[in-house]
Amino acid sequence: MVGLRGVGKTVLLEQARRDAEASGVHTVKIEAKEDRSLPAVLLPELRKALLRLSDVERAKGLAVTALRAIASLVGAFKMQYEDVTVALDYEPKAGLADSADLEDALRDLLLASAAAASAAGTSLVVFVDELQYVNSTELAALIASLHAVNQAQQPLLLVGAGLPSLRANAGKAKSYAERLFDFPTVDRLSPADAASALVNPARDEGVDYDADAIGAIVEETEGYPFFLQVWGTECWNSAALSPITLEDVRRARKTAIADLDASFIKVRFDRMTPSEKQYLRAMAELGPGPHRSGDIAELLDMAVTSVAPRRNKLIAKGMIWSPSHGDTAFTVPLFDGFMKRIMPGDRWKSGV
């Protein structure tokens, strides 16, 4: 699943995982990190799944083989991936997942894990959130390994979620990625669905909304699910009686925006360097976007090549993405309004 922040990808991913577990499937749940390697987040959780599979008598031998593959991979890459901390239950197995090439080692590990799941009469599904943070080398290894599992018709799948850049990242890592995976887009809700998201939960509690109140909230949030949640909460708190009115919405506006700024947006803004903040503010000056990279550079009175490193760092941090060559867009909905609120006036142009 690909989409901007705040559209519900993580919620959908977790619901899919619960549904899989309820059907008897074994799952692995991880969140990719900007500052951690894929092996560091994957191996500890995969180990837990393999230990569970080893409790199934007919799968025990193959599960142990996969656990030995983890030990082999850790041994082969202990210098390269110093952030890996995982308990090793068995000795490495020579010739299994001990290649110095991550693609080969990860392929051996996933094939062994899939074989254990197959022997147990089940499937193994790896759920990965924030998949855009997996670097290109590790993403290529992951895709190649899953391709090998697919060719072997083994029951191991990946379900992921990430920013819109994930589709292009996967295609660059391995050209066949777009044929191997589906990339459904999770987007803002339609006006009718956004209204239902507000009205139905409130109605279940015996509270209604005026039509004008619904229209105002949908307009303010542009249908983004997390924004709807926050506005719904603040309007509920603002209203004394049912129905919730336009006046209740107006009273809740300041609190709703402050809540979104503090809890959803500012935590990301605070991770930026001053020069990165200036770049984001220049984007906001141009509007919601997307914007041509040249237009942003022109507003900063700099050459495109000079600001390219800032742009690249912001893409790596998941703050912006490139919908098409030369274009730049925010990954956080309504971020342009936040930037204008937190960096008002023109002082940002001088880097202040």
Side-chain angles (χ1 to χ4, degrees):
M1 295 175 283
V2 295
L4 299 180
R5 299 195 183 279
V7 294
K9 302 185 301 297
T10 298
V11 174
L12 291 170
L13 195 70
E14 177 58 21
Q15 185 60 55
R17 191 191 67 82
R18 287 197 296 264
D19 290 346
E21 288 276 355
S23 72
V25 167
H26 285 248
T27 69
V28 174
K29 176 187 175 184
I30 63 173
E31 179 180 331
K33 303 287 186 180
E34 183 182 344
D35 57 352
R36 298 198 68 193
S37 68
L38 177 64
V41 295
L42 174 61
L43 297 185
E45 297 304 316
L46 183 57
R47 168 185 172 268
K48 293 177 186 177
L50 290 169
L51 287 173
R52 293 194 298 269
L53 286 169
S54 71
D55 290 336
V56 181
E57 187 60 35
R58 62 181 181 273
K60 184 172 182 177
L62 290 171
V64 168
T65 297
L67 288 165
R68 294 184 69 182
I70 289 180
S72 296
L73 195 153
V74 170
F77 290 92
K78 61 183 176 182
M79 298 298 292
Q80 185 173 343
Y81 296 114
E82 295 179 351
D83 60 342
V84 175
T85 54
V86 58
L88 303 179
D89 306 278
Y90 297 92
E91 291 295 317
K93 181 176 180 179
L96 177 68
D98 59 0
S99 167
D101 184 281
L102 183 61
E103 283 192 19
D104 291 341
L106 193 59
R107 180 198 62 217
D108 286 355
L109 173 58
L110 293 191
L111 282 170
S113 300
S118 180
T122 185
S123 300
L124 185 61
V125 184
V126 180
F127 290 85
V128 188
D129 202 4
E130 302 286 5
L131 193 52
Q132 77 280 346
Y133 285 137
V134 177
N135 70 42
S136 57
T137 300
E138 294 165 9
L139 184 60
L142 179 63
I143 294 169
S145 301
L146 291 165
H147 189 214
V149 170
N150 183 56
Q151 288 181 317
Q153 298 185 348
Q154 290 295 308
L156 186 150
L157 304 172
L158 178 134
V159 180
L163 295 175
S165 55
L166 177 59
R167 184 185 287 107
N169 292 351
K172 289 177 183 176
K174 289 293 180 181
S175 60
Y176 53 77
E178 292 193 14
R179 300 191 302 275
L180 187 62
F181 299 102
D182 291 322
F183 290 91
T185 298
V186 183
D187 206 344
R188 72 182 83 182
L189 299 177
S190 68
D193 287 339
S196 295
L198 286 168
V199 171
N200 293 345
R203 188 166 289 161
D204 290 342
E205 301 298 327
V207 175
D208 290 317
Y209 277 87
D210 279 349
D212 288 345
I214 296 170
I217 297 172
V218 172
E219 182 177 358
E220 287 275 5
T221 62
E222 297 186 12
Y224 288 105
F226 183 74
F227 290 68
L228 284 163
Q229 282 185 307
V230 171
W231 273 84
T233 297
E234 297 304 335
C235 290
W236 179 281
N237 292 338
S238 174
L241 299 169
S242 177
I244 295 172
T245 66
L246 181 59
E247 185 58 32
D248 295 322
V249 174
R250 288 170 176 162
R251 280 198 304 270
R253 186 177 191 277
K254 183 176 181 180
T255 306
I257 290 175
D259 190 358
L260 282 166
D261 283 356
S263 66
F264 183 66
I265 300 178
K266 192 172 185 299
V267 290
R268 294 177 170 86
F269 174 83
D270 287 344
R271 296 171 53 239
M272 305 300 111
T273 66
S275 64
E276 290 167 353
K277 292 175 182 178
Q278 186 188 41
Y279 189 94
L280 295 173
R281 181 60 178 84
M283 286 181 61
E285 190 73 6
L286 294 170
H291 306 296
R292 298 297 296 172
S293 298
D295 293 338
I296 301 168
E298 183 179 351
L299 197 57
L300 291 168
D301 196 24
M302 297 175 69
V304 172
T305 52
S306 298
V307 295
R310 295 191 210 180
R311 181 176 183 267
N312 293 338
K313 287 179 181 178
L314 286 166
I315 290 173
K317 290 181 177 181
M319 292 302 301
I320 60 175
W321 69 293
S322 180
S324 58
H325 181 70
D327 281 346
T328 306
F330 294 116
T331 60
V332 179
L334 312 183
F335 198 75
D336 58 311
F338 166 79
M339 289 302 303
K340 291 176 181 177
R341 288 192 296 274
I342 202 165
M343 297 176 68
D346 294 328
R347 294 179 66 194
W348 62 270
K349 292 182 180 180
S350 59
V352 177

